[in-house]
Amino acid sequence: MAQLTMVKAINDALRVELSKDENTLIFGEDVGVNGGVFRATENLQKEFGVDRVFDTPLAESGIGGLAVGLGSQGFRPIAEIQFIGFIFEAMDSILVQAPRLRYRSGGRYNCPVTFRAPFGAGVKSPELHSDSLEGLITQTPGIKVVCPSNPYDAKGLLISSIRDNDPVFFMEHLKLYFSVKGEVPEGEYTVPIGKANVVREGKDVSIFTYGAMVHTSLKAAEAAEKEGVSVEVIDLRTLSPLDMDTVVQSIEKTNRAIVVQEAPKQAGIAGELIAQINEKAIFHLEAPVLRVTGPSTVLGFPLIEEEWIPSPARVQKAIQKVMSY
Amino acid sequence: MARTKQKAQSLLESEIKVAPITTFSVLSPEGKIVNEDEVPGLSDEQLQELMKRMVFTRVWDQRATGLARQGRLGFYAPVAGQEATMIGSQYALDKEDFILPGYRDIPQLHFHGYPMYQAFLWSRGHQHGGQIPEGVNVLLPQIIIGAQYVQASGVAMALKKRNTKNIVITYTGDGGSSQGDFYEAMNFAGVYKLPVVFVVQNNRYAISTPVTKQTAAASLAQKGIAAGIPSIQVDGMDVLAVYQAVSKAKERAANGEGPTLIEALNYRIGPHSMSGDDPTRYRTKEEPTEWEQKEPLTRFRAYLEGKKLWTEEMETGVIEEAKNTVTAEIKKADQYPKMKIVDLIDSMYETTPPHLEEQKAEYAD
């Protein structure tokens, strides 16, 4: 099996789907000739032609509208938004038009669009290139939100996202593009949307997390192990809908929980997850559920980025605190 | 090196200018042909059909306005004054062509095959109002001004990729021409040479804001020039001019020659919507009266009467038919099964996910 970076795994997933289904189209800014600013679409235009993989004018709302229009006619558009901060220009398509098409048309139309965007801090990018905006999208019914933490999941989840008959927002953490390598099978395979993954088993405390924070949490878990605390780490993988079965099962075992997210603390995935834990598992808890997050500020790019992003040390502190009850 | 003899242009001379805009028309406000060369080749029956549809739409609009006042409709945006643009543009289409409407463009949808009772259901917010029958090529009335324009490019690209000869027509208003989406859509369609006809119905007001406060441009039509697409301003109260302009734009689009922008000048005689808009707050008393002299039905009626193609009996017949249709269709909408929360929940995704299944249980009968 090939060892691939996450960006290569994404490229591979796109190639698999372009080969398999001629209704699959890729477009966005600089995705064609240039192969994407991170090379996620490298060589795809060469292999599949300009009718299938093409550059767009620099206009995100136009890209969003193109995706919704094509999606309504049975194509499977994969629209790249070059950086997460640029989604604001396309929010009408992402949060309104695509998610509502099925409901608005009483099922006559659906919108099988996959929006892909890189996000996440830690690579010293300019302002509004690396914020964690998943909370904005998960607030909206009708669109799924997927966020892989490793190359294997990235390929399998992206294939599932493209094949999904509802819109999916696929979030690719910038720091993981080139820094994480892993075994990726050739050809097609899927990782299901809506299923979390236990990446490290433990019995004392559960950490629920996603994206780059999976790796941060694993480091903290290893450090805690040395202090005699057994930490379970669960990679949520899908942020909407959340896999509450896996979350509750883990809490029933450990009775303690922490949610780690890179996004600012207020009104995010952690808040939603804790609310649902409160509804479904409160009698299994022996301590309050803690959050380790970025501060409720704009992202401190790039000079104080490293301090801003939740660190293994901060997660370790939370582990100690939750164990002290 | 020899100095060039030709004097370079001054900065002022180099300024790019738009030539004066002329409005394309076929009929004068009195209903006389003013443009022999551009009279569309329509049969007597087709001309009568255009008139029937305009009268039908006017009666439907009056009834819908009344129903809205009684609280029997949800959202309703009156169409009086815009019939020539709506009816003439749709009449130029083939059944397989696609319409991407704004919320006022219900008549075009209806004459393209969308049942009237569904329009009433849509107005009330019943999701089955949007359940467009198979084979009727329209998308839902758009609420977000301009969103239909960018999606029109997407639908047009789909038609082009499937090698159909069909086209997309999309509508917005003068207010919509201020949206970024208006320009983005034309720009995309220009770059990819997409089969789209962009219609902007300049009915002079975006709720209360007059077109002079939307733009410093001398016309809305010229906004297409910046996107590099053919652009035209047409008398939108002249049904023959609208039909002719849209037919030509459709032909170009179907031949792979790309998009066209058509600015249709008309006038919204009624309020913006039936949700409390009071036009006397932003119009002079005289203004609607002046416009009524140019209004599309009077003009086309005069033209047809001159050709002995229209009689009072025909007019009365259409009025009766329209009244009966509206009565029957609103009854059908009234009798339609109520919408349920559980159905709403099930319409969010192809497969309802566990968290929504749980919420469904809270609303089960």
Side-chain angles (χ1 to χ4, degrees), chain B residues 82 85-93 98-105 107-109 142 144-149 152 168-173 176 182 196-201 242 246 262 264:
Chain B
Q82 301 184 218
T85 309
M86 292 173 161
I87 301 304
S89 60
Q90 190 279 329
Y91 202 63
L93 305 180
F98 250 95
I99 301 180
L100 271 70
Y103 46 72
R104 204 180 301 279
D105 303 307
Q108 299 97 299
L109 299 189
Q142 185 53 253
I144 300 303
I145 311 275
Q148 69 273 35
Y149 258 53
V168 177
I169 191 167
T170 185
Y171 300 86
T172 193
F182 179 79
V196 197
V197 180
F198 295 106
V199 176
V200 49
Q201 296 197 60
V242 172
V246 174
I262 298 175

mmCIF file of all heavy atoms in Angstrom, chain B residues 82 85-93 98-105 107-109 142 144-149 152 168-173 176 182 196-201 242 246 262 264:
data_model
loop_
_atom_site.group_PDB
_atom_site.id
_atom_site.type_symbol
_atom_site.label_atom_id
_atom_site.label_comp_id
_atom_site.label_asym_id
_atom_site.label_seq_id
_atom_site.Cartn_x
_atom_site.Cartn_y
_atom_site.Cartn_z
ATOM 1 N N GLN B 82 -46.465 44.449 -15.826
ATOM 2 C CA GLN B 82 -45.307 43.681 -16.290
ATOM 3 C C GLN B 82 -45.709 42.504 -17.193
ATOM 4 O O GLN B 82 -44.861 41.685 -17.546
ATOM 5 C CB GLN B 82 -44.500 43.182 -15.074
ATOM 6 C CG GLN B 82 -44.020 44.333 -14.193
ATOM 7 C CD GLN B 82 -43.140 43.910 -13.034
ATOM 8 O OE1 GLN B 82 -43.260 44.477 -11.965
ATOM 9 N NE2 GLN B 82 -42.273 42.943 -13.222
ATOM 10 N N THR B 85 -43.775 41.790 -20.610
ATOM 11 C CA THR B 85 -42.446 41.192 -20.445
ATOM 12 C C THR B 85 -42.566 39.725 -20.063
ATOM 13 O O THR B 85 -41.889 38.847 -20.606
ATOM 14 C CB THR B 85 -41.649 41.933 -19.349
ATOM 15 O OG1 THR B 85 -41.682 43.334 -19.620
ATOM 16 C CG2 THR B 85 -40.216 41.460 -19.308
ATOM 17 N N MET B 86 -43.444 39.469 -19.111
ATOM 18 C CA MET B 86 -43.570 38.094 -18.600
ATOM 19 C C MET B 86 -44.115 37.155 -19.682
ATOM 20 O O MET B 86 -43.532 36.110 -19.968
ATOM 21 C CB MET B 86 -44.490 38.096 -17.371
ATOM 22 C CG MET B 86 -43.865 38.802 -16.169
ATOM 23 S SD MET B 86 -45.025 38.968 -14.794
ATOM 24 C CE MET B 86 -43.874 39.271 -13.439
ATOM 25 N N ILE B 87 -45.237 37.552 -20.266
ATOM 26 C CA ILE B 87 -45.911 36.680 -21.237
ATOM 27 C C ILE B 87 -45.102 36.584 -22.533
ATOM 28 O O ILE B 87 -44.899 35.493 -23.073
ATOM 29 C CB ILE B 87 -47.335 37.211 -21.523
ATOM 30 C CG1 ILE B 87 -48.154 37.271 -20.238
ATOM 31 C CG2 ILE B 87 -48.025 36.382 -22.608
ATOM 32 C CD1 ILE B 87 -48.278 35.979 -19.479
ATOM 33 N N GLY B 88 -44.625 37.721 -23.006
ATOM 34 C CA GLY B 88 -43.877 37.734 -24.276
ATOM 35 C C GLY B 88 -42.591 36.935 -24.202
ATOM 36 O O GLY B 88 -42.232 36.216 -25.145
ATOM 37 N N SER B 89 -41.894 37.011 -23.084
ATOM 38 C CA SER B 89 -40.607 36.303 -22.973
ATOM 39 C C SER B 89 -40.827 34.795 -22.864
ATOM 40 O O SER B 89 -40.126 34.010 -23.501
ATOM 41 C CB SER B 89 -39.813 36.817 -21.772
ATOM 42 O OG SER B 89 -40.532 36.626 -20.568
ATOM 43 N N GLN B 90 -41.822 34.382 -22.073
ATOM 44 C CA GLN B 90 -42.069 32.937 -21.928
ATOM 45 C C GLN B 90 -42.570 32.340 -23.245
ATOM 46 O O GLN B 90 -42.236 31.214 -23.586
ATOM 47 C CB GLN B 90 -43.080 32.682 -20.803
ATOM 48 C CG GLN B 90 -43.239 31.219 -20.409
ATOM 49 C CD GLN B 90 -44.159 30.451 -21.336
ATOM 50 O OE1 GLN B 90 -45.092 31.000 -21.902
ATOM 51 N NE2 GLN B 90 -43.878 29.157 -21.487
ATOM 52 N N TYR B 91 -43.345 33.131 -23.983
ATOM 53 C CA TYR B 91 -43.934 32.628 -25.230
ATOM 54 C C TYR B 91 -42.849 32.334 -26.267
ATOM 55 O O TYR B 91 -43.059 31.539 -27.182
ATOM 56 C CB TYR B 91 -44.944 33.648 -25.776
ATOM 57 C CG TYR B 91 -45.964 33.052 -26.722
ATOM 58 C CD1 TYR B 91 -46.864 32.084 -26.283
ATOM 59 C CD2 TYR B 91 -46.022 33.453 -28.058
ATOM 60 C CE1 TYR B 91 -47.800 31.534 -27.146
ATOM 61 C CE2 TYR B 91 -46.961 32.908 -28.927
ATOM 62 C CZ TYR B 91 -47.845 31.944 -28.464
ATOM 63 O OH TYR B 91 -48.771 31.390 -29.311
ATOM 64 N N ALA B 92 -41.712 32.948 -26.114
ATOM 65 C CA ALA B 92 -40.616 32.735 -27.072
ATOM 66 C C ALA B 92 -39.854 31.435 -26.790
ATOM 67 O O ALA B 92 -38.955 31.057 -27.542
ATOM 68 C CB ALA B 92 -39.659 33.922 -27.026
ATOM 69 N N LEU B 93 -40.203 30.755 -25.686
ATOM 70 C CA LEU B 93 -39.439 29.564 -25.280
ATOM 71 C C LEU B 93 -40.023 28.283 -25.851
ATOM 72 O O LEU B 93 -41.186 28.231 -26.241
ATOM 73 C CB LEU B 93 -39.432 29.437 -23.745
ATOM 74 C CG LEU B 93 -38.931 30.622 -22.935
ATOM 75 C CD1 LEU B 93 -39.016 30.275 -21.449
ATOM 76 C CD2 LEU B 93 -37.505 30.992 -23.321
ATOM 77 N N PHE B 98 -35.417 26.093 -19.869
ATOM 78 C CA PHE B 98 -35.513 26.202 -18.415
ATOM 79 C C PHE B 98 -35.773 27.635 -17.967
ATOM 80 O O PHE B 98 -35.166 28.568 -18.492
ATOM 81 C CB PHE B 98 -34.193 25.744 -17.774
ATOM 82 C CG PHE B 98 -34.335 24.446 -17.034
ATOM 83 C CD1 PHE B 98 -34.035 23.248 -17.654
ATOM 84 C CD2 PHE B 98 -34.797 24.426 -15.727
ATOM 85 C CE1 PHE B 98 -34.175 22.045 -16.982
ATOM 86 C CE2 PHE B 98 -34.951 23.239 -15.045
ATOM 87 C CZ PHE B 98 -34.640 22.036 -15.672
ATOM 88 N N ILE B 99 -36.654 27.785 -16.986
ATOM 89 C CA ILE B 99 -36.894 29.115 -16.399
ATOM 90 C C ILE B 99 -36.372 29.145 -14.970
ATOM 91 O O ILE B 99 -36.703 28.275 -14.164
ATOM 92 C CB ILE B 99 -38.399 29.463 -16.379
ATOM 93 C CG1 ILE B 99 -38.973 29.437 -17.792
ATOM 94 C CG2 ILE B 99 -38.631 30.833 -15.739
ATOM 95 C CD1 ILE B 99 -40.463 29.782 -17.857
ATOM 96 N N LEU B 100 -35.540 30.142 -14.657
ATOM 97 C CA LEU B 100 -35.129 30.387 -13.277
ATOM 98 C C LEU B 100 -35.696 31.742 -12.858
ATOM 99 O O LEU B 100 -35.170 32.790 -13.217
ATOM 100 C CB LEU B 100 -33.596 30.341 -13.129
ATOM 101 C CG LEU B 100 -33.034 28.941 -12.838
ATOM 102 C CD1 LEU B 100 -33.149 28.031 -14.047
ATOM 103 C CD2 LEU B 100 -31.604 29.015 -12.345
ATOM 104 N N PRO B 101 -36.792 31.695 -12.094
ATOM 105 C CA PRO B 101 -37.549 32.908 -11.814
ATOM 106 C C PRO B 101 -37.169 33.589 -10.511
ATOM 107 O O PRO B 101 -36.609 32.967 -9.601
ATOM 108 C CB PRO B 101 -38.969 32.351 -11.691
ATOM 109 C CG PRO B 101 -38.753 30.997 -11.063
ATOM 110 C CD PRO B 101 -37.433 30.496 -11.571
ATOM 111 N N GLY B 102 -37.534 34.861 -10.406
ATOM 112 C CA GLY B 102 -37.616 35.520 -9.106
ATOM 113 C C GLY B 102 -39.027 35.310 -8.582
ATOM 114 O O GLY B 102 -39.873 34.713 -9.256
ATOM 115 N N TYR B 103 -39.292 35.849 -7.390
ATOM 116 C CA TYR B 103 -40.582 35.540 -6.749
ATOM 117 C C TYR B 103 -41.783 36.171 -7.455
ATOM 118 O O TYR B 103 -42.916 35.778 -7.233
ATOM 119 C CB TYR B 103 -40.565 35.967 -5.277
ATOM 120 C CG TYR B 103 -40.009 37.346 -5.038
ATOM 121 C CD1 TYR B 103 -40.718 38.478 -5.398
ATOM 122 C CD2 TYR B 103 -38.746 37.517 -4.476
ATOM 123 C CE1 TYR B 103 -40.207 39.732 -5.215
ATOM 124 C CE2 TYR B 103 -38.229 38.777 -4.285
ATOM 125 C CZ TYR B 103 -38.959 39.893 -4.647
ATOM 126 O OH TYR B 103 -38.433 41.141 -4.455
ATOM 127 N N ARG B 104 -41.572 37.172 -8.291
ATOM 128 C CA ARG B 104 -42.694 37.803 -8.975
ATOM 129 C C ARG B 104 -43.044 37.075 -10.286
ATOM 130 O O ARG B 104 -44.080 37.341 -10.887
ATOM 131 C CB ARG B 104 -42.360 39.279 -9.279
ATOM 132 C CG ARG B 104 -43.599 40.175 -9.450
ATOM 133 C CD ARG B 104 -43.227 41.621 -9.746
ATOM 134 N NE ARG B 104 -42.421 42.196 -8.699
ATOM 135 C CZ ARG B 104 -42.903 42.692 -7.551
ATOM 136 N NH1 ARG B 104 -44.201 42.733 -7.351
ATOM 137 N NH2 ARG B 104 -42.096 43.171 -6.613
ATOM 138 N N ASP B 105 -42.154 36.183 -10.705
ATOM 139 C CA ASP B 105 -42.275 35.624 -12.056
ATOM 140 C C ASP B 105 -43.152 34.380 -12.125
ATOM 141 O O ASP B 105 -42.839 33.411 -12.807
ATOM 142 C CB ASP B 105 -40.868 35.313 -12.594
ATOM 143 C CG ASP B 105 -40.000 36.553 -12.586
ATOM 144 O OD1 ASP B 105 -40.441 37.570 -13.146
ATOM 145 O OD2 ASP B 105 -38.889 36.513 -12.008
ATOM 146 N N PRO B 107 -46.358 34.084 -13.372
ATOM 147 C CA PRO B 107 -47.059 33.841 -14.652
ATOM 148 C C PRO B 107 -46.222 33.052 -15.661
ATOM 149 O O PRO B 107 -46.742 32.137 -16.324
ATOM 150 C CB PRO B 107 -47.362 35.252 -15.160
ATOM 151 C CG PRO B 107 -47.470 36.072 -13.911
ATOM 152 C CD PRO B 107 -46.422 35.507 -12.989
ATOM 153 N N GLN B 108 -44.917 33.387 -15.776
ATOM 154 C CA GLN B 108 -44.076 32.642 -16.728
ATOM 155 C C GLN B 108 -44.040 31.159 -16.357
ATOM 156 O O GLN B 108 -44.113 30.287 -17.225
ATOM 157 C CB GLN B 108 -42.626 33.175 -16.734
ATOM 158 C CG GLN B 108 -42.475 34.618 -17.147
ATOM 159 C CD GLN B 108 -42.381 35.523 -15.932
ATOM 160 O OE1 GLN B 108 -43.292 35.584 -15.122
ATOM 161 N NE2 GLN B 108 -41.276 36.240 -15.806
ATOM 162 N N LEU B 109 -43.929 30.882 -15.057
ATOM 163 C CA LEU B 109 -43.890 29.477 -14.616
ATOM 164 C C LEU B 109 -45.191 28.786 -14.992
ATOM 165 O O LEU B 109 -45.206 27.665 -15.487
ATOM 166 C CB LEU B 109 -43.709 29.393 -13.090
ATOM 167 C CG LEU B 109 -42.446 29.989 -12.486
ATOM 168 C CD1 LEU B 109 -42.364 29.608 -11.011
ATOM 169 C CD2 LEU B 109 -41.211 29.515 -13.218
ATOM 170 N N GLN B 142 -37.223 32.281 -6.765
ATOM 171 C CA GLN B 142 -36.099 32.595 -5.883
ATOM 172 C C GLN B 142 -36.453 33.763 -4.971
ATOM 173 O O GLN B 142 -37.085 34.721 -5.396
ATOM 174 C CB GLN B 142 -34.866 32.943 -6.744
ATOM 175 C CG GLN B 142 -33.591 33.175 -5.975
ATOM 176 C CD GLN B 142 -33.236 32.036 -5.035
ATOM 177 O OE1 GLN B 142 -33.370 32.160 -3.823
ATOM 178 N NE2 GLN B 142 -32.767 30.925 -5.571
ATOM 179 N N ILE B 144 -33.918 34.999 -2.686
ATOM 180 C CA ILE B 144 -32.692 35.780 -2.550
ATOM 181 C C ILE B 144 -32.400 36.452 -3.897
ATOM 182 O O ILE B 144 -32.089 35.787 -4.883
ATOM 183 C CB ILE B 144 -31.519 34.871 -2.116
ATOM 184 C CG1 ILE B 144 -31.824 34.200 -0.772
ATOM 185 C CG2 ILE B 144 -30.210 35.662 -2.042
ATOM 186 C CD1 ILE B 144 -32.137 35.144 0.372
ATOM 187 N N ILE B 145 -32.486 37.771 -3.898
ATOM 188 C CA ILE B 145 -32.388 38.517 -5.163
ATOM 189 C C ILE B 145 -31.017 38.288 -5.806
ATOM 190 O O ILE B 145 -29.991 38.630 -5.223
ATOM 191 C CB ILE B 145 -32.557 40.028 -4.902
ATOM 192 C CG1 ILE B 145 -33.773 40.310 -4.034
ATOM 193 C CG2 ILE B 145 -32.554 40.810 -6.214
ATOM 194 C CD1 ILE B 145 -35.075 40.427 -4.712
ATOM 195 N N GLY B 146 -31.021 37.718 -6.969
ATOM 196 C CA GLY B 146 -29.769 37.513 -7.712
ATOM 197 C C GLY B 146 -29.299 36.076 -7.720
ATOM 198 O O GLY B 146 -28.546 35.677 -8.598
ATOM 199 N N ALA B 147 -29.746 35.276 -6.731
ATOM 200 C CA ALA B 147 -29.259 33.892 -6.658
ATOM 201 C C ALA B 147 -29.654 33.098 -7.900
ATOM 202 O O ALA B 147 -28.917 32.219 -8.358
ATOM 203 C CB ALA B 147 -29.791 33.210 -5.399
ATOM 204 N N GLN B 148 -30.825 33.420 -8.462
ATOM 205 C CA GLN B 148 -31.262 32.698 -9.668
ATOM 206 C C GLN B 148 -30.330 32.984 -10.840
ATOM 207 O O GLN B 148 -30.190 32.166 -11.744
ATOM 208 C CB GLN B 148 -32.721 33.047 -10.023
ATOM 209 C CG GLN B 148 -32.969 34.460 -10.523
ATOM 210 C CD GLN B 148 -33.207 35.447 -9.392
ATOM 211 O OE1 GLN B 148 -32.618 35.343 -8.326
ATOM 212 N NE2 GLN B 148 -34.062 36.426 -9.624
ATOM 213 N N TYR B 149 -29.695 34.139 -10.835
ATOM 214 C CA TYR B 149 -28.786 34.479 -11.935
ATOM 215 C C TYR B 149 -27.552 33.577 -11.930
ATOM 216 O O TYR B 149 -27.176 33.030 -12.960
ATOM 217 C CB TYR B 149 -28.377 35.956 -11.831
ATOM 218 C CG TYR B 149 -29.109 36.869 -12.791
ATOM 219 C CD1 TYR B 149 -30.503 36.868 -12.850
ATOM 220 C CD2 TYR B 149 -28.419 37.732 -13.635
ATOM 221 C CE1 TYR B 149 -31.180 37.705 -13.732
ATOM 222 C CE2 TYR B 149 -29.084 38.570 -14.525
ATOM 223 C CZ TYR B 149 -30.462 38.549 -14.559
ATOM 224 O OH TYR B 149 -31.122 39.370 -15.441
ATOM 225 N N ALA B 152 -28.504 30.137 -12.856
ATOM 226 C CA ALA B 152 -28.846 30.020 -14.279
ATOM 227 C C ALA B 152 -27.610 29.628 -15.083
ATOM 228 O O ALA B 152 -27.694 28.825 -16.024
ATOM 229 C CB ALA B 152 -29.423 31.332 -14.795
ATOM 230 N N VAL B 168 -31.589 28.591 -21.081
ATOM 231 C CA VAL B 168 -32.110 29.002 -19.782
ATOM 232 C C VAL B 168 -32.491 30.471 -19.871
ATOM 233 O O VAL B 168 -31.761 31.268 -20.468
ATOM 234 C CB VAL B 168 -31.034 28.828 -18.686
ATOM 235 C CG1 VAL B 168 -31.553 29.331 -17.342
ATOM 236 C CG2 VAL B 168 -30.605 27.372 -18.570
ATOM 237 N N ILE B 169 -33.638 30.803 -19.305
ATOM 238 C CA ILE B 169 -33.982 32.217 -19.157
ATOM 239 C C ILE B 169 -34.126 32.488 -17.673
ATOM 240 O O ILE B 169 -34.634 31.652 -16.925
ATOM 241 C CB ILE B 169 -35.266 32.576 -19.938
ATOM 242 C CG1 ILE B 169 -35.452 34.104 -19.986
ATOM 243 C CG2 ILE B 169 -36.500 31.908 -19.359
ATOM 244 C CD1 ILE B 169 -36.507 34.554 -21.002
ATOM 245 N N THR B 170 -33.585 33.614 -17.230
ATOM 246 C CA THR B 170 -33.697 33.952 -15.813
ATOM 247 C C THR B 170 -34.087 35.413 -15.693
ATOM 248 O O THR B 170 -33.797 36.217 -16.579
ATOM 249 C CB THR B 170 -32.398 33.628 -15.045
ATOM 250 O OG1 THR B 170 -32.610 33.867 -13.653
ATOM 251 C CG2 THR B 170 -31.217 34.463 -15.518
ATOM 252 N N TYR B 171 -34.776 35.726 -14.614
ATOM 253 C CA TYR B 171 -35.334 37.059 -14.433
ATOM 254 C C TYR B 171 -34.885 37.665 -13.112
ATOM 255 O O TYR B 171 -34.847 36.985 -12.090
ATOM 256 C CB TYR B 171 -36.869 36.996 -14.393
ATOM 257 C CG TYR B 171 -37.520 36.432 -15.630
ATOM 258 C CD1 TYR B 171 -37.692 35.057 -15.786
ATOM 259 C CD2 TYR B 171 -37.986 37.280 -16.628
ATOM 260 C CE1 TYR B 171 -38.314 34.540 -16.909
ATOM 261 C CE2 TYR B 171 -38.609 36.759 -17.762
ATOM 262 C CZ TYR B 171 -38.778 35.392 -17.907
ATOM 263 O OH TYR B 171 -39.390 34.892 -19.018
ATOM 264 N N THR B 172 -34.588 38.944 -13.143
ATOM 265 C CA THR B 172 -34.498 39.692 -11.899
ATOM 266 C C THR B 172 -35.044 41.083 -12.183
ATOM 267 O O THR B 172 -35.563 41.349 -13.265
ATOM 268 C CB THR B 172 -33.066 39.715 -11.323
ATOM 269 O OG1 THR B 172 -33.117 40.195 -9.973
ATOM 270 C CG2 THR B 172 -32.134 40.606 -12.132
ATOM 271 N N GLY B 173 -34.937 41.983 -11.188
ATOM 272 C CA GLY B 173 -35.461 43.328 -11.376
ATOM 273 C C GLY B 173 -34.353 44.364 -11.357
ATOM 274 O O GLY B 173 -33.165 44.027 -11.310
ATOM 275 N N GLY B 176 -32.229 43.960 -8.435
ATOM 276 C CA GLY B 176 -31.346 42.798 -8.583
ATOM 277 C C GLY B 176 -30.089 43.105 -9.371
ATOM 278 O O GLY B 176 -29.049 42.470 -9.178
ATOM 279 N N PHE B 182 -25.534 39.383 -9.969
ATOM 280 C CA PHE B 182 -25.979 39.800 -11.304
ATOM 281 C C PHE B 182 -24.778 39.828 -12.245
ATOM 282 O O PHE B 182 -24.804 39.260 -13.336
ATOM 283 C CB PHE B 182 -26.612 41.192 -11.185
ATOM 284 C CG PHE B 182 -27.106 41.782 -12.480
ATOM 285 C CD1 PHE B 182 -28.312 41.382 -13.025
ATOM 286 C CD2 PHE B 182 -26.374 42.770 -13.130
ATOM 287 C CE1 PHE B 182 -28.785 41.945 -14.203
ATOM 288 C CE2 PHE B 182 -26.839 43.338 -14.307
ATOM 289 C CZ PHE B 182 -28.048 42.929 -14.850
ATOM 290 N N VAL B 196 -27.739 31.254 -22.050
ATOM 291 C CA VAL B 196 -28.625 31.914 -21.089
ATOM 292 C C VAL B 196 -29.166 33.213 -21.669
ATOM 293 O O VAL B 196 -28.435 33.953 -22.328
ATOM 294 C CB VAL B 196 -27.891 32.334 -19.788
ATOM 295 C CG1 VAL B 196 -28.904 32.610 -18.674
ATOM 296 C CG2 VAL B 196 -26.875 31.343 -19.331
ATOM 297 N N VAL B 197 -30.405 33.496 -21.364
ATOM 298 C CA VAL B 197 -30.959 34.830 -21.606
ATOM 299 C C VAL B 197 -31.236 35.442 -20.232
ATOM 300 O O VAL B 197 -32.048 34.922 -19.472
ATOM 301 C CB VAL B 197 -32.253 34.758 -22.441
ATOM 302 C CG1 VAL B 197 -32.798 36.165 -22.675
ATOM 303 C CG2 VAL B 197 -31.998 34.050 -23.766
ATOM 304 N N PHE B 198 -30.501 36.489 -19.932
ATOM 305 C CA PHE B 198 -30.698 37.203 -18.666
ATOM 306 C C PHE B 198 -31.698 38.331 -18.904
ATOM 307 O O PHE B 198 -31.448 39.209 -19.728
ATOM 308 C CB PHE B 198 -29.385 37.818 -18.182
ATOM 309 C CG PHE B 198 -28.321 36.813 -17.829
ATOM 310 C CD1 PHE B 198 -27.217 36.611 -18.657
ATOM 311 C CD2 PHE B 198 -28.393 36.079 -16.649
ATOM 312 C CE1 PHE B 198 -26.218 35.706 -18.323
ATOM 313 C CE2 PHE B 198 -27.398 35.164 -16.311
ATOM 314 C CZ PHE B 198 -26.311 34.975 -17.148
ATOM 315 N N VAL B 199 -32.821 38.271 -18.198
ATOM 316 C CA VAL B 199 -33.799 39.346 -18.342
ATOM 317 C C VAL B 199 -33.800 40.159 -17.053
ATOM 318 O O VAL B 199 -33.883 39.599 -15.959
ATOM 319 C CB VAL B 199 -35.213 38.791 -18.608
ATOM 320 C CG1 VAL B 199 -36.239 39.920 -18.658
ATOM 321 C CG2 VAL B 199 -35.229 37.998 -19.915
ATOM 322 N N VAL B 200 -33.656 41.469 -17.187
ATOM 323 C CA VAL B 200 -33.833 42.311 -16.013
ATOM 324 C C VAL B 200 -35.080 43.163 -16.269
ATOM 325 O O VAL B 200 -35.152 43.913 -17.239
ATOM 326 C CB VAL B 200 -32.564 43.134 -15.669
ATOM 327 C CG1 VAL B 200 -31.992 43.851 -16.865
ATOM 328 C CG2 VAL B 200 -32.839 44.125 -14.553
ATOM 329 N N GLN B 201 -36.070 42.939 -15.436
ATOM 330 C CA GLN B 201 -37.325 43.693 -15.567
ATOM 331 C C GLN B 201 -37.164 44.981 -14.786
ATOM 332 O O GLN B 201 -37.268 44.990 -13.561
ATOM 333 C CB GLN B 201 -38.498 42.897 -14.995
ATOM 334 C CG GLN B 201 -38.774 41.610 -15.726
ATOM 335 C CD GLN B 201 -40.170 41.095 -15.401
ATOM 336 O OE1 GLN B 201 -41.170 41.755 -15.654
ATOM 337 N NE2 GLN B 201 -40.243 39.910 -14.827
ATOM 338 N N VAL B 242 -40.757 42.421 -26.826
ATOM 339 C CA VAL B 242 -40.164 41.473 -25.881
ATOM 340 C C VAL B 242 -40.035 40.098 -26.550
ATOM 341 O O VAL B 242 -38.977 39.465 -26.493
ATOM 342 C CB VAL B 242 -41.010 41.357 -24.589
ATOM 343 C CG1 VAL B 242 -40.496 40.232 -23.706
ATOM 344 C CG2 VAL B 242 -41.006 42.676 -23.833
ATOM 345 N N VAL B 246 -36.407 38.291 -27.153
ATOM 346 C CA VAL B 246 -36.094 37.021 -26.484
ATOM 347 C C VAL B 246 -35.902 35.919 -27.529
ATOM 348 O O VAL B 246 -35.010 35.074 -27.397
ATOM 349 C CB VAL B 246 -37.176 36.653 -25.438
ATOM 350 C CG1 VAL B 246 -36.936 35.266 -24.859
ATOM 351 C CG2 VAL B 246 -37.205 37.693 -24.324
ATOM 352 N N ILE B 262 -31.060 41.255 -21.506
ATOM 353 C CA ILE B 262 -32.182 42.066 -21.999
ATOM 354 C C ILE B 262 -32.752 42.874 -20.837
ATOM 355 O O ILE B 262 -33.250 42.300 -19.861
ATOM 356 C CB ILE B 262 -33.290 41.178 -22.605
ATOM 357 C CG1 ILE B 262 -32.741 40.412 -23.820
ATOM 358 C CG2 ILE B 262 -34.494 42.037 -23.018
ATOM 359 C CD1 ILE B 262 -33.731 39.409 -24.414
ATOM 360 N N ALA B 264 -35.731 44.988 -19.822
ATOM 361 C CA ALA B 264 -37.095 45.271 -20.264
ATOM 362 C C ALA B 264 -37.664 46.390 -19.399
ATOM 363 O O ALA B 264 -37.788 46.239 -18.181
ATOM 364 C CB ALA B 264 -37.950 44.015 -20.158
#
